[in-house]
Amino acid sequence: MNIVVLDGYTLNPGDLTWEGLQQLGNLTVYDHTDPCDIVQRASEADILLTDSVPLSAETIFKLPELRYIAVMATGYDGIDMQAAAEQEITVCNIPSYGTQSVAQMVIAHMLNFCHHLTEHSFSVKAGDWTESSGYCYWNFPQIELAGLTLGIIGFGRIGQKTADLAQAFGMHILAYDPAVSDQSHRPSFEWASMDQIFSESDFVSLHTPLLPETERIINRSNLVKMKKSAFLINTSRGRLIHEEDLARALREQVIAGAGLDVLSEEPPAADNPLLHAPHCFITPHIAWATRSARTRLMETLVENVSACIAGKPINKVLP
Ligand code: NAD
């Protein structure tokens, strides 16, 4: 079996091992692959592994022998699923390796707005504390999470784990998801409409996959429904947000801030409007990248490829 990894560097920049996959077949690992090189590199592959290299319909139709695509991530929006279905390709993903780490990043972005740790530390080192007249000062209002409302759009694995962590801080949870699940164990929780989430939340966090119906769900018409004091957090997919609209909302102080781990284009173009928007904190798509999460991802990847080879694929998202 020929196993080809198109972009192995992000999963394993050198601190993990490919040994598990090596034992399953003839493994070729490319650190990165430009779209123009995909077909040549994948032409001999029985199982093709991709993290963020997109597999368009045009590419997929040029790989008639391909039977399996193993996505090295949870989100598989980079694969043209219709083309994969037409070619009878099985696609599997890694459903839950990053749940804890991504939820932790949501809380990190929220706490950043509560305390502005980095800015205060820079201010102290610049001499501001030494020169201040009192024993303390703050450059930003300090926020306590207890009693505030977190609105969660997409209440699947990461949304629910985020709720667990937020509830430990004493937050009230509003959640919107077309698939309603039993949440009766939660002490301070309500299912809500999207409108209710936008108008009542102090923080709104996005956890829906990128789908045609979720693309740009954050746009001018929803941003203006939010409280002026509210913060938006996005660790899901950049294209859930209309970035021009969000940048404008931040400039006009329609909302108080945004904490983003993902952008519509990654890496972003230098003129991405959010790069210079005020009160916008951006991390470079690292919510998933703790060593613990990547180790789990690698373990599941080996299980997925092994199951494909055995003809009994697991974690299938297609068919
Ligand atoms: P999940 O499948 O467990 O949950 C997604 C939820 O979204 C489901 O409950 C689904 O019913 C809901 N949903 C579907 N359509 C919706 C809609 N129109 N409106 C609201 N909710 C809708 O997925 P998950 O494990 O929680 O992951 C969520 C997303 O997080 C992934 O799709 C991926 O894009 C992103 N992610 C990001 C990182 C990162 O490093 N930043 C890492 C892993 C995952």
Side-chain angles (χ1 to χ4, degrees):
M1 277 279 180
N2 286 328
I3 305 165
V4 175
V5 179
L6 288 176
D7 53 343
Y9 188 82
T10 34
L11 167 60
N12 179 14
D15 57 350
L16 302 179
T17 171
W18 294 108
E19 207 179 302
L21 287 178
Q22 265 155 357
Q23 286 174 1
L24 296 176
N26 179 24
L27 178 71
T28 308
V29 180
Y30 297 101
D31 279 350
H32 307 282
T33 297
D34 282 337
C36 59
D37 294 325
I38 300 172
V39 172
Q40 180 253 322
R41 289 183 173 185
S43 58
E44 303 285 307
D46 299 298
I47 304 181
L48 187 60
L49 279 61
T50 173
D51 177 356
S52 63
V53 177
L55 297 177
S56 66
E58 194 190 349
T59 302
I60 288 171
F61 290 134
K62 286 182 185 157
L63 298 168
E65 304 303 320
L66 186 62
R67 293 280 62 90
Y68 297 107
I69 297 171
V71 181
M72 302 190 290
T74 305
Y76 47 90
D77 41 90
I79 314 291
D80 189 307
M81 297 298 271
Q82 202 179 331
E86 277 179 42
Q87 294 289 102
E88 296 182 7
I89 294 172
T90 298
V91 181
C92 51
N93 76 338
I94 315 283
S96 61
Y97 74 98
T99 304
Q100 186 78 41
S101 291
V102 180
Q104 181 178 305
M105 178 61 101
V106 177
I107 302 297
H109 272 286
M110 288 170 60
L111 291 176
N112 178 44
F113 287 118
C114 293
H115 300 297
H116 291 267
L117 287 185
T118 310
E119 284 110 320
H120 280 114
S121 180
F122 280 143
S123 162
V124 167
K125 289 184 179 179
D128 297 345
W129 198 8
T130 308
E131 286 162 20
S132 76
S133 49
Y135 79 94
C136 79
Y137 69 94
W138 53 90
N139 295 336
F140 302 87
Q142 297 291 285
I143 298 170
E144 183 176 89
L145 290 177
L148 298 187
T149 296
L150 170 62
I152 298 181
I153 298 176
F155 209 61
R157 281 175 288 255
I158 298 172
Q160 291 181 42
K161 180 53 72 181
T162 300
D164 294 345
L165 301 181
Q167 290 198 300
F169 284 99
M171 296 190 81
H172 176 60
I173 306 296
L174 296 177
Y176 171 76
D177 195 305
V180 172
S181 51
D182 178 17
Q183 299 298 328
S184 53
H185 60 287
R186 294 191 186 276
S188 185
F189 174 90
E190 280 171 68
W191 289 108
S193 65
M194 293 264 272
D195 274 355
Q196 196 183 345
I197 286 188
F198 287 120
S199 62
E200 295 181 16
S201 301
D202 300 292
F203 289 83
V204 172
S205 191
L206 307 180
H207 297 289
T208 166
L210 177 63
L211 302 165
E213 62 272 27
T214 59
E215 185 156 10
R216 294 183 162 185
I217 47 169
I218 300 299
N219 51 44
R220 181 83 185 163
S221 66
N222 286 331
L223 287 162
V224 295
K225 294 174 191 159
M226 290 174 69
K227 298 179 186 178
K228 275 190 180 317
S229 56
F231 300 95
L232 175 71
I233 311 293
N234 185 15
T235 57
S236 190
R237 282 292 179 268
R239 280 162 54 200
L240 298 179
I241 293 178
H242 189 303
E243 293 179 334
E244 285 284 357
D245 284 2
L246 176 58
R248 181 178 162 198
L250 292 167
R251 280 196 307 273
E252 295 175 356
Q253 297 179 20
V254 171
I255 64 169
L260 312 172
D261 187 55
V262 284
L263 290 174
S264 60
E265 189 189 348
E266 297 173 347
D271 63 352
N272 183 305
L274 292 169
L275 292 179
H276 303 292
H279 311 295
C280 187
F281 291 83
I282 306 175
T283 47
H285 203 148
I286 51 172
W288 70 287
T290 64
R291 194 166 190 277
S292 305
R294 287 184 295 109
T295 300
R296 280 192 295 273
L297 197 164
M298 185 68 94
E299 286 164 3
T300 308
L301 193 58
V302 172
E303 287 166 14
N304 282 358
V305 171
S306 176
C308 285
I309 291 170
K312 293 181 180 165
I314 55 172
N315 296 321
K316 282 195 298 175
V317 290
L318 186 77

